[in-house]
Amino acid sequence: MSEPLAKRAYTQIIEMIFSGELKVGDALQEAKLGEQLDMSRTPVREAIDRIKVEGLAVKSGRFLRVRLLTAGEVEEIFLLRRELEVYSARMALKLPKEQIETMRTRIERLLQAGPAIAEEHWQVDEAFHGILTASTHNQTLISTVNDLRLRTCIFDHTRVRGRFLKGNQEHLRILDALLAEREDQVMALMAEHIDNAKNAILERLAGFEASGSLS
């Protein structure tokens, strides 16, 4: 997914799923999608591979077909994330304050720039969760959290209303608690952050079931 065309193909196919243009059960055919997107098969194939990894496509017959995460799958993902990331947040109390302050400044700049810069938002979000999991020095935990986050990364701030502001504000409160070395507060705030993200996604999925699209 390093090529710009593959990234564009991924974004456009995801939009087709979220808008209802591609419905649950529809086949993700490289040739057909390539024609629709005016691209060759290669970037479309790479995009479909990523979509499969994220759980939005499943093999059925000759084709991969559109599917959505179920509410049960979301619950399972966030159950694990809650346990692992609350632990990570507690371990992050050992981080140098300069590193925490640098992360805080980066989030404040993102809030000033606004939600339009989607790529920067994803990078900052990755960095925030990354410094916390890295503080555990547990490679299995780090890779597990990364994999779990990938499973729901399609539900970013552009598709879950209100999460840009709320999510970043929650990040700042967690960092402030880390700076103040308040262990109980750090853990409670991280648990709340994970629960809020989960509930926002579940609400969006419920909206899809009611309307037939996620737009």
Side-chain angles (χ1 to χ4, degrees):
M1 282 299 297
S2 59
E3 293 294 327
L5 273 179
K7 185 174 181 180
R8 183 155 63 90
Y10 167 82
T11 300
Q12 290 181 287
I13 294 170
I14 289 296
E15 287 301 329
M16 292 168 73
I17 294 172
F18 272 68
S19 68
E21 185 177 349
L22 279 172
K23 301 184 184 301
V24 173
D26 284 353
L28 296 173
Q29 301 180 52
E30 293 173 17
K32 182 178 179 180
L33 287 169
E35 289 180 8
Q36 289 178 273
L37 302 176
D38 193 23
M39 295 181 188
S40 68
R41 288 192 178 195
T42 300
V44 173
R45 184 183 306 119
E46 292 180 24
I48 291 172
D49 286 344
R50 177 176 169 183
I51 289 167
K52 180 183 177 183
V53 169
E54 293 175 3
L56 284 184
V58 63
K59 185 76 172 179
S60 178
R62 293 172 51 215
F63 300 107
L64 285 170
R65 297 184 183 276
V66 175
R67 71 178 293 273
L68 289 178
L69 289 174
T70 65
E73 287 174 307
V74 172
E75 293 277 8
E76 290 174 359
I77 288 167
F78 279 93
L79 173 67
L80 293 174
R81 280 192 60 187
R82 196 181 200 272
E83 292 296 320
L84 296 177
E85 294 201 63
V86 168
Y87 170 77
S88 299
R90 182 164 67 86
M91 292 297 100
L93 287 160
K94 303 174 185 177
L95 287 173
K97 291 193 183 299
E98 294 80 6
Q99 187 176 3
I100 299 171
E101 289 167 349
T102 297
M103 189 71 248
R104 198 183 194 292
T105 299
R106 193 172 175 187
I107 294 170
E108 287 176 335
R109 288 175 179 166
L110 179 65
L111 282 169
Q112 290 174 358
I117 311 174
E119 188 66 25
E120 177 65 11
H121 179 268
W122 175 250
Q123 291 172 0
V124 171
D125 193 60
E126 282 280 280
F128 170 80
H129 289 273
I131 66 168
L132 300 187
T133 55
S135 71
T136 68
H137 303 290
N138 184 321
Q139 291 304 313
T140 302
L141 182 150
I142 293 167
S143 62
T144 300
V145 171
N146 286 341
D147 289 345
L148 291 169
R149 281 171 47 75
L150 182 63
R151 294 286 308 280
T152 57
C153 72
I154 53 160
F155 293 96
D156 63 14
H157 74 280
T158 64
R159 299 185 181 96
V160 180
R161 296 178 183 89
R163 282 307 294 166
F164 175 79
L165 180 59
K166 291 178 182 177
N168 281 297
Q169 288 175 335
E170 289 163 10
H171 287 172
L172 290 175
R173 286 196 289 272
I174 292 166
L175 293 173
D176 286 342
L178 285 170
L179 288 170
E181 300 181 358
R182 296 172 181 163
E183 180 177 320
D184 290 346
Q185 187 178 16
V186 166
M187 296 172 69
L189 287 171
M190 177 54 79
E192 181 182 15
H193 175 59
I194 298 298
D195 289 345
N196 287 344
K198 176 192 71 176
N199 291 336
I201 292 173
L202 290 174
E203 183 179 347
R204 197 71 196 277
L205 284 175
F208 172 78
E209 292 174 357
S211 67
S213 77
L214 284 160
S215 60

